Each structure stands twice: as structure tokens, then as C-alpha cells.
Amino acid sequence: MIHTRRLLLVILLIVEVRPAFAQAPVWTETAPGIWKATAGVPESYDLLKASGAEPVREAIAAITPAKFPLSETDITFKVVDGKTYLRFPLQKEEQLYGFGLNFQTVHQRGKILQLHVDHYGGKDNGRTHAPTPFYVSSKGYGVFINSARYLNVYAGTAVRKDSKNAPLAKDRNTDKSWSSRPYSDAVEILVPAAGVEVYVFGGPTALDAVRRFNLFNGGGYLPPRWGLGFTQRVKTLYTAEDVKKEVAAFREKGYPLDFIGLEPGWQSKSYPCTFSWDSTRFPDPAGFVQALLKDNIRVNLWTNPYVSPDAPNYKAILPYTGSHTVWNGLVPDLTMPEGRKIFFDQLQKNQVAIGVSGYKIDEVDGYDYYLWPDVASFPSGLTAEQMRQTYGLLVQRYSADLFREQNKRTFGLVRASNAGGTSFPYVIYNDYYNHEDFITALINSGFAGVLWTPEARASKSAEEWLRRFQTVVFSPMAMINAWASGTKPWSYAEVAEPIKQLALLRMQMMPYWYTAFARYHFQGIPPFRAMNLEEGFVAETKKESGSTSLEENPYAEAVSKEIKDQYMAGDYLLVAPLFAGQQSRKVVLPKGRWYDFYTGAFAGDGEVITVSPGLEKIPVFVKDGGIIPMMQPLLHAPASGQKVDLTVRHYGEKPASYLLYDDDGETFNYEKGEYSWRKIIVEKDRSGKWKGSISAPVKGKPNTVGKVTFECMTK
Ligand code: GAL
């Protein structure tokens, strides 16, 4: 009897510890066009919990309605041995994008990845600064796995024996069409946990799915206007006097500057950090910060989160830190309110309260030899793996609160993020420095719900410096990071003038950038994104019998390939950078008419063109009917309440209708309705002449628009 009971107990235990069951997922529409299903028992900590992201339901509801985009019966979930197996169908001609901030590839079908927060090590293998577990299909839907674990992804690589479309076995001896990687009809994902939440985002277009994902994560952050100006990060051991001199040089030479970044040397000790000013280099921090603010320059401070034994909060925070150290500094468990308070109080009192405008939060991504190992433990009970996948989210979330409490917007830098981080005021950067790959990362950031800056540091030649700077200007954060090099925008004398003109162009385009970010915030449209999200960019190139062959149709051939060196910026711009050593390049112009940004001349329609713009220009094209609102080339972003005159450029032959976003540019009052969208219309009058108009300012709302003039670029 006892024996039987024991046996029963053992069987029960086995069943409990090692359940193995396949599950037909049950999908619930949690927001319009967004469905959720649960596999097994999801963990209590995940990416959405770590980030605290809240869906913007009204904005999601305003997107074109969508039906569940996949065949439900072709999705399977299974929990075996404490791990979750997910399978999603793939069709033959489908392409996949996303799976985080990749640097070398845009097409992800055929990849095997382990999504793991890390510094980028030169390979698109899943280890990256934002390994967002979200993919988008060219068929117009997205899938998100809400897990704070390292996920193994087989993105159309594995073939099951019960596959509906299993490829035929072929004979390698004789059959030339034999392939070592036969066609796979599924994305399969292994989650090392006994359950997980899965979300499916409807289309109908891939951009709609991306928009839903971004809005589900709270919508993009709306930076303050000054965040879209120019920023210089100074040499690491600069003193207050050095910084003041540098700021004065920008002014005297006529280069714009909105915020200046101090690197590790502002702290008394760094790596690990004291989070306290160094009194020899910065004897009067408050006076220093305030003096710069008077000159319209904000201060951004570098830090990593590892607490030095000499930090004032070391003893207090000790009980709320992980088992292992980083450079002998403590790792705060930022999921614990007590530890969090001790950590952020120091930053608040010492820096934010005296007027510091933001942070650059370094080293939260990885390099395994520096960071806590996977065997580390944390007092909250979270594992080292969960902490690694979410630390970037945690530092962003809680540092952002410091500024929100003051009703001030910030805009800073961070080296790690993940799903859920879309609404945080941070741009990702890293130590890698391949210019082409920086552009591919910019493209992929739009699929990963993050922002990325292709920062310029130094260059081997004036040509490279100019080429890098051109892309800096057409990116989320226009920055030189001179922490090691001390490079200034004017350091390469031969190109100092064109660099200045580019920096001023960045300032002129501020109304355009600001509206693009407002669209990210309110509508989820990434301000910088892949060609694959562009209407008119057709990826299908089915060869119909009797039609021209692919070779004779370079456009069809081009769009069937991966395009990773040109991108969309804001509503209307297509940016096609040149890299050092290149005199000309091919640009794929999607269907629809496109115009040269500088001259307004017609450039092409659904074709591949070759451009040789010379060293001083980065090729930029504008969609037909495009509107680019520009302001004067100010040296600083307009201050709150400052009115600026606008020149509204119109391109092409189509009439235009554009909504220009406006608010105070600095606070969160827009969340209480303190904003407006001013309608700009450019159309032909009866005599066939172009006429432009802008709607009246909305009563009682902030109005920064002065005189408006219109310029028709296409003659
Ligand atoms: C690196 C960071 C650089 C710079 C440097 C300062 O980790 O990526 O941008 O801040 O630290 O030590």
C-alpha cells in the first residue's frame, strides 16, 4: 500500500515538474488588431512588466482595422521539460524583419539567433543592444514574445516531418537544385521558461503592424525640441573651464549646439562610479550648469550604474545589490523600490536638482567579461538572465521619472534596451564604428521599437568625417562623441564649412523632425525606418510569363534583394548616404514620383538611379506632394514660447496636405491637451499657380509659428 502511494507520488511529481503538452493557443483581442495568447504558465516578470509600458488604446483604435493575420491552426505552443516551444507559420514568398537591433542584415528569414542583450560583437546572431523579440512579416503582421529570457529563434530554418509544405528530398549526387538549407515553413522559438505571453499584431501593412507594436509599448517618446538640435560630447577629463571654452568656440564659429555631454571625468571616480562631481575639475557644479543653461546649453552626464565603494550611497544600497560586482562596483537591483530610491535619490539631489538635463547610461548591455555572470543572484529573486535582458529598460524607466517629476522632458543615450522601451527618452549608441553597419542599424531600429544614433567620433580622412556627419544630421540624435578623440565639428579644416552647413540644415529642419517625432509618439510611426515599410516599395517580383525578365527590370530585381543602405526619414524623405571612398551609388526609388531634396528636380519613379552628388551632398529625395517645414538656421532650438518663422517647402506635382505639430517643446503639458496640429495645404489655384496655406493657431494652445512663407521647389 505504502509502496503504491509512493509510486503515485513519484508519478505525480514527475507530471508536475515536467509537464509536456501541446496547446492550441486561445487568442484574445486585447486592443484593436492586437491579439494575445498564453503558453503554459507565464513568468511573473517579463519585458512589459520591467518597462511598465502601457498601450495607447485610442491611437491603436485609429489604425485601419485588421483581422487575425495568421492561420490559427498553424500556430502551436508546447511546454516540455520546463521550456516553451512556439511555432508560427511562414509562407513561401514571405520575408521577415526585426528580431532586434541588427547591424548587418535587414532580411531575417533563414537566421538562427539567440536574443541576448549584449554589446554588438560584429555578427547578427541575436546578441545586440536591443534584441527585441518582435518580428514583422512582409505579409503585414508582427509577432512579439513577451519574455525576459534568452530566446532561441529559428526564423524559417527548420523543417518538420509534419510540415504542410515540406520540401522534397533531393539527390545531391545528381540534382543541381539540391540545397543544404531546404525551405522551412515556420518560425520556431524556444523560451527557457514553462510559459510565456505571445502577441500578434495585425496589419494590413507591415507599417501598420509596427505602429501597433510601438503604440502597444506606449508610443514613441516626444523629445524636447532641444533634443533634436546638435550635441557634442567632450573629452573625458575636461574641466568646467574646458567645457565653457568649447561652448564659446561653437558660438564664435557659428556652429549650432543644444546640449553638451560630459564623459566619465565629471565624476570623482568612475568604473565603478561615485555619481558625485569631481571637485577639482568641477568646483561649482550648480554654477557651471546654470551658467550654461543661461546660454541655452543643456548638460548631459555619462554614467554607468555600478556603485563604487567611495560612492556616498554605497553602504545604504549594499543590501539591494546583486551577488556579483562589475569592476568591483555594486550592481543595484533596480526592481526593488528601496534600492531604486537610494540609487536615484543621489542622481536627483546631486544633478537633476541643479539643472542637469539628461544622462548617457553606459555599460548596461554587456560584454560577458565585464558584466555580472549568469550565475549571479539578486535580492529580488530575479535571475541574472532576467536582469541582463531588462537592465537597460530599468535604468531608462526610472531615470526618466526624475525628469517627469519636474515636468521637464529629457533626451539621452543608453546602451541597452528591449521591447517595452519605445516610450523612453533614450537613443542607443555603441562602441562599434562601421559606418555602413551604423546605417543598417538605423534601418532596423524602426523594427525594434528603439532609436539609434550613428554617432561620429573621429575619422581617417576629411572625406570620411563629412560622410559620417551627413548621416548624423539625418538621424534621431545629431551627435559627435569626442570622449576619446576630442574631435570638434571643425577639426577637419577642408570640410569645416560643409560640416557647418549640414549642422545648420539640421536646425533648419527642426519643425520637420519635431513633427516626425510627434507622429512616432501619437501614431507609432518610426521616424527612421526601412524602405520595406514604404508604400510603393514592392518586394514581390514574381516573373510572369511573357513579361520582361528580372535582368531587364533592375527595379524588380533591386527590391527583391535586401536594401540596407538607404532609409526613410520622417513622412517624405528618402536618405541614401554615401560612404568614404564612394563617388556614386545606386538609389532604389519606390513607385511614385520622387524629387531631389536640394533642387526639387524630378529624380525618378519606381526605378534604380545612379547618383554622383559630389562630396558635399548626401543624396536625399522627397516624395511627390512632400512638405518640408523649415525654420531659420538658429544656433539653439527655439526656447519655450519663442516664435519662429517658417518656410514651407513643397515638392513635386501632387497637391499636399500636411499636419504640423506644435506645443511648448519642453514640458509634458501636451499630455493634457496643450498641443495642436496645424493643417498645411499646398494646391494649385484656378490659374494653375501653387498656393499654400496654414490653418489658424488653435485658441489657447501653445503657438510657436511666426510668419509662414511657401516655396515650391519643383519648377
Ligand atoms: C564607453 C562608451 C563611450 C564612452 C566611454 C567613456 O563605454 O561606449 O561612448 O562613453 O565609455 O569611458
Side-chain angles (χ1 to χ4, degrees):
M1 183 67 189
I2 291 174
H3 198 75
T4 337
R5 256 202 226 150
R6 261 203 207 144
L7 198 74
L8 242 171
L9 195 71
V10 169
I11 291 169
L12 272 177
L13 270 177
I14 291 172
V15 169
E16 238 189 67
V17 176
R18 309 198 142 185
F21 54 90
Q23 222 184 345
V26 180
W27 296 98
T28 325
E29 194 166 7
T30 61
I34 304 177
W35 293 266
K36 174 181 163 181
T38 305
V41 182
E43 296 183 286
S44 57
Y45 187 71
D46 55 37
L47 297 175
L48 295 178
K49 297 245 170 54
S51 63
E54 286 290 337
V56 197
R57 292 184 183 278
E58 255 177 58
I60 295 170
I63 301 176
T64 317
K67 292 203 188 94
F68 191 81
L70 291 161
S71 152
E72 281 192 42
T73 48
D74 290 335
I75 306 174
T76 57
F77 295 171
K78 205 161 67 173
V79 180
V80 186
D81 193 19
K83 296 191 178 97
T84 306
Y85 295 62
L86 308 171
R87 182 167 190 256
F88 306 91
L90 267 185
Q91 290 177 37
K92 267 231 160 91
E93 62 288 7
E94 211 168 337
Q95 188 47 265
L96 301 177
Y97 316 110
F99 291 118
L101 191 65
N102 286 301
F103 285 74
Q104 295 178 341
T105 52
V106 175
H107 289 186
Q108 299 305 320
R109 186 167 185 161
K111 291 281 192 63
I112 297 177
L113 306 161
Q114 191 188 47
L115 304 183
H116 187 309
V117 170
D118 203 345
H119 78 294
Y120 182 66
K123 277 200 187 116
D124 285 0
N125 57 10
R127 285 194 172 232
T128 181
H129 306 269
T132 312
F134 172 63
Y135 68 89
V136 187
S137 159
S138 56
K139 291 269 164 212
Y141 67 87
V143 175
F144 164 49
I145 315 302
N146 181 22
S147 166
R149 296 280 176 185
Y150 306 145
L151 306 183
N152 289 326
V153 174
Y154 301 86
T157 57
V159 188
R160 294 171 62 107
K161 64 179 184 189
D162 61 359
S163 160
K164 276 191 191 160
N165 308 297
L168 293 177
K170 290 182 177 171
D171 172 28
R172 203 183 73 160
N173 291 338
T174 56
D175 191 341
K176 284 219 174 82
S177 69
W178 181 91
S179 160
S180 60
R181 296 185 186 189
Y183 162 74
S184 153
D185 66 352
V187 175
E188 296 189 81
I189 299 174
L190 180 63
V191 182
V196 72
E197 273 179 12
V198 176
Y199 292 86
V200 167
F201 297 80
T205 67
L207 180 60
D208 290 328
V210 168
R211 290 181 58 195
R212 283 196 166 86
F213 177 71
N214 287 337
L215 292 169
F216 185 70
N217 287 319
Y221 187 75
L222 181 64
R225 280 199 174 89
W226 59 259
L228 300 178
F230 190 77
T231 179
Q232 172 85 9
R233 303 200 71 84
V234 299
K235 243 186 149 169
T236 190
L237 289 181
Y238 259 32
T239 64
E241 284 313 307
D242 295 332
V243 176
K244 281 188 199 155
K245 267 191 221 146
E246 183 130 332
V247 168
F250 268 80
R251 195 170 40 239
E252 280 150 24
K253 293 176 189 287
Y255 287 76
L257 182 65
D258 266 298
F259 58 116
I260 197 134
L262 308 189
E263 289 286 318
W266 72 270
Q267 296 194 31
S268 56
K269 286 187 179 168
S270 66
Y271 294 87
C273 293
T274 56
F275 317 102
S276 308
W277 296 85
D278 180 83
S279 59
T280 58
R281 289 184 287 274
F282 294 88
D284 173 19
F288 165 77
V289 172
Q290 288 302 320
L292 287 180
L293 275 177
K294 268 205 200 102
D295 284 340
N296 293 306
I297 308 290
R298 266 99 181 159
V299 174
N300 174 289
L301 297 178
W302 171 98
T303 197
N304 65 48
Y306 310 118
V307 185
S308 159
D310 293 314
N313 51 9
Y314 181 85
K315 272 213 180 102
I317 208 164
L318 193 57
Y320 309 106
T321 56
S323 58
H324 288 63
T325 57
V326 178
W327 300 298
N328 295 325
L330 301 172
V331 182
D333 187 334
L334 295 178
T335 66
M336 299 184 77
E338 303 90 332
R340 208 154 66 210
K341 184 165 167 28
I342 296 164
F343 184 82
F344 286 105
D345 273 2
Q346 164 75 3
L347 305 195
Q348 208 289 327
K349 287 193 195 108
N350 197 250
Q351 297 124 44
V352 180
I354 64 169
V356 164
S357 301
Y359 289 97
K360 164 176 170 176
I361 308 179
D362 206 20
E363 305 287 1
V364 285
D365 45 349
Y367 196 45
D368 289 351
Y369 289 94
Y370 300 166
L371 230 63
W372 63 88
D374 284 352
V375 294
S377 59
F378 286 85
S380 60
L382 290 182
T383 66
E385 175 185 5
Q386 291 170 311
M387 221 32 126
R388 179 85 175 252
Q389 294 296 71
T390 59
Y391 213 83
L393 290 175
L394 298 171
V395 294
Q396 291 182 79
R397 176 179 180 179
Y398 298 112
S399 61
D401 285 350
L402 297 174
F403 299 93
R404 183 172 269 281
E405 278 155 19
Q406 300 201 341
N407 194 23
K408 277 188 192 154
R409 283 181 244 168
T410 177
F411 203 42
L413 292 145
V414 74
R415 233 172 56 187
S417 193
N418 212 325
T422 308
S423 69
F424 295 143
Y426 286 94
V427 180
I428 303 175
Y429 66 97
N430 70 4
D431 283 337
Y432 188 73
Y433 202 46
N434 180 299
H435 192 194
E436 284 93 332
D437 292 358
F438 269 20
I439 301 311
T440 305
L442 188 55
I443 291 168
N444 284 323
S445 64
F447 293 120
V450 297
L451 299 168
W452 160 260
T453 172
E455 65 175 40
R457 285 173 221 146
S459 293
K460 290 196 195 86
S461 65
E463 181 202 1
E464 185 195 331
W465 185 244
L466 186 52
R467 289 304 188 202
R468 282 187 181 273
F469 202 89
Q470 287 169 345
T471 55
V472 157
V473 160
F474 287 88
S475 85
M477 189 180 274
M479 171 170 69
I480 292 178
N481 178 11
W483 75 276
S485 62
T487 319
K488 326 269 183 258
W490 53 85
S491 286
Y492 299 80
E494 309 96 286
V495 295
E497 188 51 33
I499 293 270
K500 188 200 233 169
Q501 293 313 318
L502 276 162
L504 292 170
L505 176 64
R506 169 78 180 192
M507 298 307 284
Q508 283 179 284
M509 292 176 72
M510 192 168 284
Y512 180 73
W513 299 130
Y514 198 54
T515 293
F517 274 89
R519 303 255 281 161
Y520 190 29
H521 175 74
F522 288 98
Q523 294 159 2
I525 301 171
F528 297 88
R529 57 192 186 276
M531 297 311 304
N532 309 82
L533 294 178
E534 180 59 21
E535 209 191 317
F537 181 88
V538 187
E540 280 114 302
T541 55
K542 269 177 254 144
K543 212 161 71 171
E544 283 153 32
S545 55
S547 74
T548 45
S549 74
L550 281 189
E551 292 69 39
E552 288 161 27
N553 183 353
Y555 175 73
E557 197 179 3
V559 293
S560 70
K561 290 193 185 132
E562 182 176 60
I563 295 188
K564 52 181 191 169
D565 61 354
Q566 63 174 72
Y567 58 95
M568 295 299 300
D571 286 333
Y572 299 115
L573 297 182
L574 186 164
V575 184
L578 279 133
F579 305 102
Q582 272 185 322
Q583 265 81 49
S584 68
R585 64 159 290 163
K586 289 204 157 92
V587 182
V588 183
L589 296 174
K591 296 207 169 114
R593 294 170 72 79
W594 292 83
Y595 298 84
D596 183 283
F597 172 70
Y598 306 96
T599 64
F602 175 69
D605 176 349
E607 61 191 292
V608 183
I609 59 168
T610 300
V611 292
S612 334
L615 185 58
E616 292 184 11
K617 275 194 183 135
I618 172 170
V620 179
F621 301 92
V622 191
K623 230 189 262 190
D624 198 1
I627 291 285
I628 313 291
M630 317 256 289
M631 66 174 202
Q632 305 96 297
L634 303 179
L635 293 188
H636 313 289
S640 184
Q642 185 183 339
K643 276 200 168 59
V644 290
D645 294 344
L646 298 185
T647 302
V648 176
R649 290 189 180 180
H650 171 264
Y651 289 82
E653 280 116 86
K654 272 193 192 161
S657 165
Y658 173 81
L659 293 175
L660 177 79
Y661 179 75
D662 198 10
D663 67 8
D664 68 22
E666 286 183 13
T667 72
F668 290 96
N669 295 354
Y670 66 87
E671 289 180 350
K672 298 179 208 123
E674 293 294 297
Y675 68 89
S676 63
W677 295 94
R678 303 271 300 270
K679 188 161 194 174
I680 290 176
I681 288 181
V682 178
E683 58 194 355
K684 283 193 173 157
D685 66 11
R686 278 201 205 135
S687 64
K689 262 196 165 171
W690 287 110
K691 270 249 144 65
S693 64
I694 180 164
S695 61
V698 183
K699 259 210 183 130
K701 307 288 178 191
N703 172 19
T704 70
V705 179
K707 218 176 94 208
V708 181
T709 44
F710 290 86
E711 194 179 353
C712 284
M713 296 295 291
T714 306
K715 306 285 179 234

